[in-house]
Amino acid sequence: MGKMPHLAHELAVTGGARFKLANIDPAGTHGVEKDGSEERLEKNCKRLSVLQYQLYAESQRALLVVLQGIDAGGKDGTISHVMTGMNPQGVTVTPFKVPEGAETRHDYLWRVHNAVPEYGKIGIFNRSHYEDVLVVRVHNLVPQAVWSKRYQQINDFERMLSENRVHVVKFLLYIGKEEQAKRFRARLDDKTKSWKFSEADVKERGYWDQYIEAYNDALRKCSTPQAPWYVIPANKKWFRNLAVSEILIHTLEGMKMKFPKAPADLSHIQFE
Ligand code: ADP
């Protein structure tokens, strides 16, 4: 242990316009050994469940966890490995897909705001409003004049949330292009995984560089003290899980939850 604040500081996106994904090694492990990592993750999951209980007991604040990643980056795996141990009653997971129905008849933040966790809960976004400056930008789904204003709008939105007791923490699960190919191949070769494979993913792979550029911009412009971005080197799943769990612990511990007082002085209550 003792690595916890360390990883949170090392992986946080700082430096504004100078930040570049190209400077990050997706296979990096920041000096953490694989040996013993499983035990460490298990311990972290237990700690997370205690912190979640405190958040729930207090019911004054919420935690919003944004998960983004290039296809096969491991969003689903992270949710299942890191959130295991949490009480399902205290967690919501919301996936964001291509907008449809009522979503298309509102501004892009409408569906997002609607899914923000209530006080006392942890909300996980599997994809998020960042798609509106990622896929939307890469494929020109709206003109540049529209998407380019969204960085500021997103910062304003996230600041509003934080000023209203919703803490925001954002993770980019960052894998290399080779690693993505490896994972796609594994999906094709494994009957239990091939259902996850879609040809659309292969098409998106052709836009790799454009996605990296769009991610660079989102990370540069939208990593703020009240809603920081963390880039998680995610080629190695054990490191990815460990890093996310440690940053979540760091975030929740920083919230310094307090148990509410019992409703009244209970000392006179006696049981037969
Ligand atoms: P996932 O890949 O997250 O497991 P899907 O395969 O259903 O789930 O992909 C969801 C798709 O929805 C992704 O291709 C993503 O880019 C797209 N998407 C999400 N939000 C938006 C948006 N606001 N505009 C356009 N496409 C979006």
Side-chain angles (χ1 to χ4, degrees):
M1 293 306 291
K3 275 278 181 203
M4 199 168 62
H6 191 56
L7 273 186
H9 291 129
E10 281 196 10
L11 303 180
V13 175
T14 53
R18 290 188 311 277
F19 176 84
K20 235 188 187 172
L21 278 172
N23 292 335
I24 294 179
D25 176 8
T29 60
H30 290 253
V32 183
E33 302 279 339
K34 186 174 184 203
D35 242 22
S37 65
E38 225 166 283
E39 292 76 18
R40 198 160 143 185
L41 178 64
E42 209 173 298
K43 204 167 154 202
N44 286 351
C45 288
K46 288 199 180 115
R47 178 78 188 124
L48 278 172
S49 104
V50 170
L51 288 162
Q52 183 208 10
Y53 181 71
Q54 290 173 354
L55 184 79
Y56 186 71
E58 188 195 67
S59 279
Q60 294 298 316
R61 273 106 37 99
L63 177 65
L64 171 57
V65 181
V66 167
L67 275 185
Q68 285 287 158
I70 284 177
D71 292 318
K75 293 183 272 87
D76 295 329
T78 303
I79 294 172
S80 62
H81 286 98
V82 179
M83 311 305 164
T84 172
M86 290 202 187
N87 182 343
Q89 295 211 83
V91 188
T92 55
V93 182
T94 312
F96 290 95
K97 313 265 179 186
V98 180
E100 55 179 33
E103 296 173 343
T104 61
R105 298 192 291 277
H106 288 86
D107 67 89
Y108 71 103
L109 288 174
W110 177 77
R111 64 175 183 165
V112 177
H113 200 176
N114 196 40
V116 166
E118 56 187 62
Y119 298 133
K121 297 206 176 170
I122 297 177
I124 298 158
F125 282 3
N126 185 343
R127 303 185 187 269
S128 67
H129 43 301
Y130 283 92
E131 293 292 322
D132 294 282
V133 288
L134 293 166
V135 65
V136 168
R137 167 176 164 164
V138 168
H139 291 290
N140 300 308
L141 302 182
V142 301
Q144 177 164 6
V146 174
W147 61 251
S148 62
K149 290 200 180 76
R150 290 182 171 170
Y151 302 96
Q152 186 61 45
Q153 292 164 0
I154 288 173
N155 285 343
D156 290 343
F157 171 66
E158 292 177 353
R159 184 172 37 75
M160 182 281 291
L161 291 179
S162 78
E163 287 170 359
N164 288 280
R165 297 179 276 127
V166 180
H167 290 240
V168 184
V169 60
K170 302 174 295 203
F171 295 105
L172 165 58
L173 308 179
Y174 180 47
I175 57 168
K177 201 171 179 186
E178 257 314 297
E179 179 65 19
Q180 187 192 48
K182 207 171 118 198
R183 291 185 187 187
F184 280 169
R185 264 183 241 120
R187 281 181 188 182
L188 283 173
D189 294 346
D190 180 343
K191 270 202 198 96
T192 69
K193 287 183 180 165
S194 55
W195 64 273
K196 271 199 181 191
F197 189 84
S198 96
E199 285 192 43
D201 291 348
V202 178
K203 202 166 143 247
E204 286 311 281
R205 183 175 160 81
Y207 294 91
W208 186 275
D209 293 344
Q210 287 94 318
Y211 271 105
I212 295 294
E213 212 28 60
Y215 266 113
N216 272 334
D217 245 1
L219 295 162
R220 284 172 191 148
K221 292 176 175 161
C222 300
S223 190
T224 59
Q226 64 276 6
W229 265 112
Y230 294 93
V231 175
I232 308 295
N235 276 14
K236 298 195 163 71
K237 293 174 184 173
W238 64 266
F239 179 75
R240 173 199 77 197
N241 294 339
L242 198 61
V244 170
S245 69
E246 302 221 342
I247 293 166
L248 285 176
I249 290 173
H250 174 78
T251 305
L252 283 161
E253 285 184 341
M255 289 165 70
K256 301 196 186 323
M257 274 86 68
K258 291 190 188 71
F259 283 110
K261 287 205 173 63
D265 179 9
L266 307 177
S267 58
H268 61 284
I269 295 180
Q270 300 211 339
F271 295 97
E272 292 290 305

